[in-house]
């Protein structure tokens, strides 16, 4: 598989949960990173993606794979607030870091969602150990398939 | 089966969704009524009870069985607002009537939740054709079991 | 609901499992009887109907509802033998009575399957407390729906 | 990950299904091979492993991953015959190659099952592109986990 190297992704976030301090994706260099872009009032996110993310965080090695949620609100902004997200994270027993995407001043689409050119939620984005985007998929990805993508990237050496 | 007749239940509601006008349970006299008490940020409600209510509304006869949701917020009131509920109902494609339980002035427990003495969410309450409560259960009830309860009540004559 | 009374069903069986002695459906008079017609090499039977029958046997009152399996082999007779059925019943932890339908001399369709005019497997047949057939359905029936059918029949009085 | 190279596995088979001619694992050199050891009357095999194998065969690249079933009968030999297996494969719509493990003369455990030292069914065995065993697991393996194992092996170069 060849691919076009992508520029490093910078998350624009307004608030972090489940982490003692905010971090950048470059600090995760060396790990495979799986970003779950979701909205808390998106049924497909809640019934399929969040459970997949929770399972991934539970069963894959935390020293090798970083699972990160990003709450990319592009509709119904007034009710999917950071306060509501905090309750959601607590009630669904989400233990991995979750960032609230930073709202845009000119658009309903928040900044990281724009940077990633996401088409909606749920979306799943996978970065290799160098921080390059290797998968950017709108919709749910079957466990078997996303597992094989992650496994392939885990097998790549950490080159400088 | 014998049972202690219960007084008629009066829903205290602050807002109705999916119905042209508010109604009282006494207007449903003659039907078996299944009340689903839920909170939109309760995982058990969202992943099990709401899908059961949607299926019940789809496959059982609407002239015989009335499915009614009641949003009984007893925690995190500031984020489970009526505006948020409206989005939730839309996103989850809920088509049956849903009432927002009326907040209490003295307690976090809203009024209908108090009247029904509910222990939490999800709860399922089944009323017979006379409007008497015949089941009041905290937690999910298996489809087979709730189906048999409804079937039994459907077979009872509508006496005056 | 009105219905045409059906003649009493007589099971033609060649062997019984999970019962100290063979019995006739008339001995179950007074109970609602749910017959599950299946073949052990029918995927729909194994993945949907048998689990439903096991759950029904577990959670509904055994003094009110009798769950009975009937192995109606109409194809691949040489491999779906009574010996194989015995292993199947053991491995799948089936605890309710199961009868092997009696082979026909003139046809691939066994005798009870003919008497019930079944179209294939799985089929579910429900008898009321008087022993009359009230449902005869080819294919799986959702738990909620079959539950409501059983509940309705349970509510009927046992008339003589 | 380091591992002890294992000797090449030779399947001892008495009959093949879904393949124009029998083949050896060495002919699959260059592919990652996933062996599903099952018995047709083992509930865990039928409800979890066979569906996983079918999905794996459907969604992973057939030029990269070979899915192979092996029917390792170690109990109830008289009813889990090759004739019964043929019906099972047909009814469950299994399209990948399946081998019947070769019975042993001295033991109930068939030959390949002995060679692989399997503890029971279902078991899943994964071979790398060189034909070495890299996973040998008794019981079901979650899709996400087995996917990541396969992905990692796919990323390994095909060395001579």
């Amino acid at each position: 598989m060849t691919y076009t190297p992508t520029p490093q992704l910078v998350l624009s976030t307004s608030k972090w949960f489940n982490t003692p301090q905010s971090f950048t994706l470059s600090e995760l260099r060396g790990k495979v990173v799986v970003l779950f872009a979701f909205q808390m009032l998106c049924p497909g996110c809640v019934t399929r993606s969040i459970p997949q993310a929770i399972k991934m965080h539970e069963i894959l090695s935390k020293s090798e794979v970083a699972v990160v949620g990003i709450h990319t609100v592009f509709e119904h902004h007034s009710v999917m607030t950071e306060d509501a997200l905090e309750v959601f994270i607590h009630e669904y027993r989400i233990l991995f870091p979750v960032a609230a995407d930073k709202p845009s001043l000119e658009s309903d689409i928040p900044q990281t969602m724009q940077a990633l050119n996401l088409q909606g939620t749920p979306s799943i984005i996978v970065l290799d150990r160098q921080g390059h985007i290797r998968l950017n998929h709108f919709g749910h990805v079957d466990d078997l398939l996303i597992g094989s993508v992650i496994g392939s990237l885990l097998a790549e050496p950490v080159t400088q």
Side-chain angles (χ1 to χ4, degrees), chain A residues 127-149:
Chain A
L127 288 73
D128 64 21
R129 293 185 189 274
Q130 267 65 248
H132 293 117
I133 296 171
R134 299 290 285 275
L135 181 77
N136 186 340
H137 182 85
F138 172 38
H140 186 70
V141 182
D142 184 87
D143 278 357
L144 196 56
L145 211 52
I146 195 69
S148 74
V149 169

Side-chain angles (χ1 to χ4, degrees), chain A residues 21-53:
Chain A
Q21 53 190 41
S22 69
F23 57 88
T24 64
L25 290 180
S26 65
E27 294 176 60
L28 299 176
R29 200 70 50 83
K31 296 187 183 185
V32 171
V33 178
V34 187
L35 281 179
F36 285 88
F38 73 102
Q39 291 184 113
M40 53 179 286
L41 287 177
C42 148
C45 302
V46 171
T47 59
R48 307 191 72 191
S49 293
I50 294 294
Q52 183 182 59

Side-chain angles (χ1 to χ4, degrees), chain A residues 79-132:
Chain A
V79 297
M80 287 193 275
T81 61
E82 292 176 5
D83 284 349
L85 177 61
E86 183 167 16
V87 173
F88 178 85
I89 289 169
H90 171 74
E91 292 294 333
Y92 279 80
R93 310 287 186 261
I94 295 174
L95 301 179
F96 51 82
V98 176
D101 196 358
K102 198 168 194 170
S104 163
L105 294 178
E106 306 85 22
S107 156
D108 277 348
I109 316 292
Q111 295 185 27
T112 303
M113 193 172 185
Q114 284 186 36
L116 283 162
N117 197 26
L118 302 186
Q119 305 306 301
T121 57
S123 286
I124 188 164
I125 303 98
V126 184
L127 288 73
D128 64 21
R129 293 185 189 274
Q130 267 65 248
H132 293 117

